[in-house]
Amino acid sequence: MAAASNVAPFPAGRLKPRAGLVLTGGGARAAYQVGVVKAVRDLLGNPVKNPFPIVCGTSAGAINAATLAVFADNFSRGVGSLLEVWENMRCEQIYRTDAWHVMRAGARWLSAVMLISRRNPISLLDNAPLRDMLERNLDFGRIQTHIDSGALYAVCVTASGYTTGQSVSFFQGGSGLEGWERNQRIGAAVPLKLDLLLASAALPFIFPAVKVHREYFGDGSMRQIAPVSPALHLGADRVLIVGTGRQTQDSARARSNVYPSLAQIAGHALNSIFLDSLMVDIERLERINRTVKLIPPDKMSDSALQLRPVKVLFITPSQPLERIAARFIHELPATVRFILRPTGALNRSGSNLASYLLFEESFCRALIDLGYQDTMARETEVREFFGPPEERAYA
């Protein structure tokens, strides 16, 4: 179903105009998203009212989305909370960096690879500190309060089931919302909780999978063939999408006579997980928008297609984040540098992998600044996105 992203989950005539925010994954790269929402806050004049009734997140973006949902009664305060955390970020706040835990996990991986041990290694890194931080900072009970008051309409986080292979979007929202089922992706109405965030943000191989009900779940970007779809199923008529990879039109082929390092291959795989499906989904959505424009309104209302135009504003880094990461790799904890060195991740060519794990203040602040500047450079588009319906131009 090529048109799945634009199919209304309920009749378009009953659709109330609502803006959706879609935050993608990318580990430490998600700091870029904080700079974007900071710029939105400033452009809108530090509003208390939440400009995004629908908030969807995947992987690290799920954590940012949940934070905005918890503070939906005061958008500026929610952005401030994100800034406070990300501007003072340290790796030890996300995963254990002490020698004992890092070496123990590395030994498990090595013994499993060499078939010395039959036990499955759980993960390369232990993200127990992330769980502790989220437990301290997020009161999930506030989400339903904000939904009941109208400050928030729906929040959604997506995770990938390791057994079924399904991409599951767990959402909590207002009355009238129903789950959905498409090929290898479903929407399930559940109260948002900590385990769902940790499951969505469980980078493959790096962080442990999380058991939710009867199945283990990992990073939501895996198998997520339509990243924008959850926001549309929840009723968004326009979406601000924040990517964490540079959108480039440069088709020039690079030459290399050096065999790619393990870090290059791993970074390439992570980029494929986090970036490729998003670009395909946006292209599909824009193509359907152009098709909808060609159909007379009376014909559209008489048809059973239930298609509707969706305004898309896509903000993505203007600079390659891996090049920024290369400047700060030396700030990774010594233990993490030790286990990454053999992979080539400490070299400039392997910095892509490191950029996902570089939860350090300097790198995060650089990404926040970049997200802020990239969004401010598109001030006209941002203001038009939030303007009255008659002033909005659809993609």
Side-chain angles (χ1 to χ4, degrees), residues 28-79:
R29 291 168 169 241
Y32 179 84
Q33 301 168 353
V34 181
V36 174
V37 294
K38 176 186 176 184
V40 170
R41 178 199 66 182
D42 290 354
L43 289 173
L44 297 182
N46 295 308
V48 170
K49 184 179 179 181
N50 176 26
F52 300 106
I54 298 169
V55 185
C56 299
T58 304
S59 191
I63 295 174
N64 289 340
T67 302
L68 294 176
V70 167
F71 292 97
D73 59 330
N74 191 326
F75 178 71
S76 293
R77 183 184 172 197
V79 174

Coordinates of all heavy atoms in Angstrom, one line a residue, residues 28-79:
A28 N 23.2 9.3 20.5 CA 23.6 10.7 20.9 C 23.3 11.7 19.9 O 23.1 12.9 20.2 CB 25.1 10.7 21.2
R29 N 23.0 11.3 18.6 CA 22.7 12.3 17.6 C 21.3 13.0 17.9 O 21.0 14.0 17.3 CB 22.6 11.5 16.2 CG 23.9 11.0 15.6 CD 23.6 10.1 14.5 NE 24.9 9.8 13.7 CZ 25.0 10.1 12.4 NH1 24.1 10.7 11.7 NH2 26.2 9.8 11.8
A30 N 20.5 12.4 18.7 CA 19.2 13.0 19.1 C 19.4 14.3 19.7 O 18.4 15.0 19.9 CB 18.4 12.0 19.9
A31 N 20.6 14.7 20.2 CA 20.8 16.0 20.7 C 20.4 17.1 19.7 O 20.0 18.2 20.0 CB 22.2 16.2 21.1
Y32 N 20.6 16.8 18.4 CA 20.2 17.7 17.3 C 18.7 18.1 17.4 O 18.4 19.2 17.2 CB 20.5 17.0 16.0 CG 20.1 17.9 14.8 CD1 21.0 18.9 14.3 CD2 18.9 17.7 14.1 CE1 20.7 19.6 13.2 CE2 18.6 18.5 13.0 CZ 19.5 19.4 12.5 OH 19.1 20.2 11.4
Q33 N 17.9 17.1 17.8 CA 16.4 17.4 17.9 C 16.1 18.4 18.9 O 15.2 19.2 18.8 CB 15.7 16.1 18.3 CG 15.9 14.9 17.3 CD 15.4 13.6 17.8 OE1 15.1 13.5 19.0 NE2 15.4 12.6 17.0
V34 N 16.9 18.5 20.0 CA 16.7 19.4 21.1 C 17.0 20.8 20.6 O 16.3 21.8 20.9 CB 17.6 19.1 22.3 CG1 17.4 20.1 23.4 CG2 17.3 17.6 22.8
G35 N 18.0 21.0 19.7 CA 18.2 22.3 19.1 C 17.1 22.8 18.3 O 16.7 23.9 18.2
V36 N 16.4 21.8 17.5 CA 15.3 22.1 16.7 C 14.1 22.6 17.5 O 13.5 23.7 17.2 CB 14.9 20.9 15.8 CG1 13.6 21.2 15.0 CG2 16.0 20.6 14.8
V37 N 13.7 21.9 18.5 CA 12.6 22.3 19.3 C 12.9 23.5 20.1 O 12.0 24.3 20.4 CB 12.1 21.1 20.3 CG1 11.6 20.0 19.5 CG2 13.2 20.7 21.2
K38 N 14.1 23.8 20.5 CA 14.5 25.0 21.1 C 14.2 26.2 20.2 O 13.7 27.2 20.6 CB 16.0 25.0 21.5 CG 16.5 26.3 22.1 CD 18.0 26.3 22.3 CE 18.5 27.6 22.9 NZ 20.0 27.6 23.0
A39 N 14.6 26.0 18.9 CA 14.4 27.1 17.9 C 12.9 27.3 17.7 O 12.4 28.5 17.6 CB 15.0 26.8 16.6
V40 N 12.1 26.2 17.7 CA 10.6 26.3 17.6 C 10.1 27.1 18.7 O 9.2 28.0 18.6 CB 10.0 24.9 17.5 CG1 8.5 25.1 17.6 CG2 10.4 24.3 16.1
R41 N 10.5 26.8 19.9 CA 10.1 27.5 21.1 C 10.4 29.0 21.0 O 9.5 29.8 21.3 CB 10.8 27.0 22.4 CG 10.5 27.7 23.7 CD 11.5 27.4 24.7 NE 12.8 28.0 24.4 CZ 13.9 27.9 25.1 NH1 13.9 27.2 26.3 NH2 15.0 28.5 24.8
D42 N 11.6 29.4 20.6 CA 11.9 30.8 20.5 C 11.1 31.5 19.4 O 10.7 32.6 19.5 CB 13.4 30.9 20.2 CG 14.3 30.5 21.4 OD1 13.6 30.2 22.5 OD2 15.5 30.5 21.3
L43 N 10.9 30.8 18.2 CA 10.2 31.4 17.1 C 8.7 31.6 17.5 O 8.1 32.6 17.0 CB 10.3 30.5 15.9 CG 11.7 30.5 15.2 CD1 11.7 29.5 14.1 CD2 12.0 31.9 14.7
L44 N 8.2 30.8 18.4 CA 6.8 30.9 18.8 C 6.6 31.8 20.0 O 5.5 32.0 20.5 CB 6.2 29.5 19.0 CG 6.1 28.6 17.8 CD1 5.4 27.3 18.2 CD2 5.3 29.3 16.7
G45 N 7.7 32.4 20.5 CA 7.7 33.3 21.6 C 7.5 32.6 23.0 O 6.8 33.1 23.8
N46 N 8.3 31.5 23.2 CA 8.3 30.8 24.5 C 6.8 30.5 25.0 O 6.4 30.8 26.0 CB 8.9 31.6 25.6 CG 10.4 31.8 25.3 OD1 11.1 30.9 25.1 ND2 10.9 33.1 25.3
P47 N 6.1 29.7 24.2 CA 4.7 29.5 24.5 C 4.6 28.5 25.6 O 5.4 27.6 25.8 CB 4.1 28.9 23.2 CG 5.3 28.2 22.6 CD 6.5 29.0 22.9
V48 N 3.5 28.6 26.4 CA 3.1 27.6 27.4 C 2.3 26.5 26.7 O 2.5 25.3 26.9 CB 2.3 28.3 28.5 CG1 1.7 27.2 29.4 CG2 3.1 29.2 29.3
K49 N 1.4 26.9 25.8 CA 0.6 26.0 25.1 C 1.5 25.1 24.2 O 2.3 25.6 23.5 CB -0.4 26.7 24.2 CG -1.4 25.7 23.5 CD -2.5 26.5 22.7 CE -3.4 25.5 22.0 NZ -4.4 26.2 21.2
N50 N 1.2 23.8 24.2 CA 1.9 22.8 23.4 C 1.5 23.0 21.9 O 0.4 22.8 21.6 CB 1.6 21.4 23.9 CG 2.3 20.3 23.1 OD1 3.3 20.6 22.5 ND2 1.7 19.2 23.1
P51 N 2.5 23.3 21.1 CA 2.2 23.4 19.6 C 2.1 22.1 18.9 O 1.7 22.0 17.7 CB 3.3 24.2 19.1 CG 4.5 23.9 19.9 CD 3.9 23.6 21.3
F52 N 2.4 21.0 19.6 CA 2.4 19.7 19.0 C 1.5 18.7 19.8 O 1.9 18.0 20.7 CB 3.8 19.0 18.9 CG 4.8 19.8 18.1 CD1 5.8 20.6 18.8 CD2 4.7 19.8 16.7 CE1 6.7 21.3 18.0 CE2 5.7 20.6 16.0 CZ 6.6 21.3 16.7
P53 N 0.1 18.7 19.4 CA -0.8 17.9 20.2 C -0.4 16.4 20.0 O -0.8 15.5 20.8 CB -2.1 18.2 19.5 CG -2.0 19.5 18.9 CD -0.6 19.6 18.5
I54 N 0.3 16.0 18.9 CA 0.7 14.7 18.6 C 2.2 14.6 18.5 O 2.8 15.3 17.8 CB 0.1 14.2 17.3 CG1 -1.5 14.2 17.3 CG2 0.6 12.8 16.9 CD1 -2.2 14.0 16.0
V55 N 2.8 13.7 19.4 CA 4.2 13.6 19.5 C 4.6 12.2 19.3 O 4.1 11.3 20.1 CB 4.7 14.1 20.8 CG1 6.3 14.1 20.9 CG2 4.2 15.5 21.1
C56 N 5.5 11.9 18.3 CA 5.9 10.5 18.1 C 7.4 10.4 18.1 O 8.1 11.3 17.5 CB 5.3 10.0 16.7 SG 3.5 10.0 16.6
G57 N 7.9 9.4 18.7 CA 9.4 9.2 18.7 C 9.8 7.8 18.6 O 9.1 6.9 18.9
T58 N 11.0 7.6 18.1 CA 11.6 6.3 17.9 C 13.0 6.4 18.4 O 13.8 7.3 18.2 CB 11.6 5.9 16.4 OG1 10.3 6.0 15.9 CG2 12.1 4.5 16.2
S59 N 13.5 5.3 19.1 CA 14.8 5.2 19.6 C 15.1 6.3 20.6 O 14.2 6.6 21.4 CB 15.8 5.1 18.4 OG 17.1 4.8 18.9
A60 N 16.2 7.0 20.5 CA 16.5 8.1 21.4 C 15.4 9.2 21.2 O 15.1 10.0 22.1 CB 17.9 8.7 21.1
G61 N 14.8 9.3 20.0 CA 13.8 10.3 19.8 C 12.5 10.0 20.6 O 11.8 10.9 20.9
A62 N 12.3 8.7 21.0 CA 11.2 8.3 21.8 C 11.4 9.0 23.2 O 10.4 9.4 23.8 CB 11.1 6.8 22.0
I63 N 12.6 9.0 23.7 CA 12.8 9.6 25.0 C 12.6 11.1 25.0 O 11.9 11.7 25.9 CB 14.3 9.4 25.5 CG1 14.5 7.9 25.7 CG2 14.6 10.1 26.7 CD1 15.9 7.4 26.0
N64 N 13.0 11.8 23.9 CA 12.7 13.2 23.8 C 11.2 13.5 23.6 O 10.6 14.4 24.2 CB 13.4 13.8 22.5 CG 14.9 13.9 22.8 OD1 15.4 13.9 23.9 ND2 15.7 14.0 21.7
A65 N 10.5 12.6 22.9 CA 9.1 12.7 22.7 C 8.3 12.5 24.0 O 7.4 13.3 24.3 CB 8.6 11.7 21.6
A66 N 8.7 11.5 24.8 CA 8.1 11.3 26.0 C 8.3 12.5 27.0 O 7.4 12.8 27.8 CB 8.6 10.0 26.7
T67 N 9.5 13.1 27.0 CA 9.7 14.2 27.8 C 8.8 15.4 27.5 O 8.2 16.0 28.4 CB 11.2 14.7 27.7 OG1 12.0 13.6 28.0 CG2 11.4 15.9 28.6
L68 N 8.6 15.7 26.2 CA 7.7 16.7 25.8 C 6.2 16.4 26.1 O 5.4 17.2 26.5 CB 7.8 17.0 24.3 CG 9.1 17.5 23.8 CD1 9.1 17.6 22.3 CD2 9.3 18.9 24.4
A69 N 5.9 15.1 26.1 CA 4.5 14.7 26.5 C 4.3 14.8 28.0 O 3.2 15.3 28.4 CB 4.3 13.2 26.1
V70 N 5.3 14.5 28.8 CA 5.2 14.7 30.3 C 5.0 16.1 30.6 O 4.3 16.5 31.6 CB 6.4 14.1 30.9 CG1 6.5 14.5 32.4 CG2 6.4 12.5 30.8
F71 N 5.6 17.0 29.8 CA 5.5 18.5 30.1 C 4.6 19.2 29.1 O 4.8 20.3 28.8 CB 6.9 19.1 30.1 CG 7.8 18.7 31.2 CD1 8.8 17.7 31.0 CD2 7.8 19.3 32.4 CE1 9.6 17.3 32.0 CE2 8.6 18.9 33.4 CZ 9.5 17.9 33.3
A72 N 3.6 18.5 28.6 CA 2.7 19.0 27.6 C 1.9 20.2 28.1 O 1.4 21.0 27.3 CB 1.8 18.0 27.0
D73 N 1.8 20.4 29.4 CA 1.1 21.6 29.9 C 1.9 22.8 29.9 O 1.4 23.9 30.1 CB 0.6 21.3 31.4 CG 1.8 21.0 32.3 OD1 2.9 20.5 31.8 OD2 1.7 21.3 33.5
N74 N 3.2 22.7 29.6 CA 4.1 23.8 29.4 C 5.2 23.5 28.5 O 6.2 23.0 28.9 CB 4.6 24.3 30.8 CG 5.3 25.6 30.8 OD1 6.0 26.0 29.8 ND2 5.2 26.4 31.9
F75 N 5.0 23.8 27.2 CA 6.0 23.4 26.2 C 7.3 24.0 26.4 O 8.3 23.3 26.3 CB 5.4 23.9 24.8 CG 6.4 23.6 23.7 CD1 6.6 22.3 23.2 CD2 7.1 24.6 23.0 CE1 7.5 22.0 22.2 CE2 7.9 24.4 22.0 CZ 8.1 23.0 21.6
S76 N 7.4 25.3 26.8 CA 8.7 25.9 27.1 C 9.4 25.2 28.2 O 10.7 25.1 28.2 CB 8.5 27.4 27.4 OG 8.1 28.1 26.2
R77 N 8.7 24.8 29.2 CA 9.3 24.1 30.3 C 9.8 22.7 29.9 O 10.9 22.3 30.3 CB 8.3 23.9 31.5 CG 8.9 23.2 32.7 CD 7.8 23.0 33.7 NE 8.3 22.2 34.8 CZ 7.5 21.6 35.7 NH1 6.2 21.7 35.6 NH2 8.0 20.9 36.7
G78 N 9.1 22.1 29.0 CA 9.5 20.8 28.5 C 10.8 20.9 27.7 O 11.7 20.1 27.8
V79 N 10.9 21.9 26.8 CA 12.1 22.2 26.1 C 13.2 22.5 27.0 O 14.4 22.0 26.8 CB 11.9 23.3 25.1 CG1 13.2 23.7 24.4 CG2 10.9 22.9 24.0

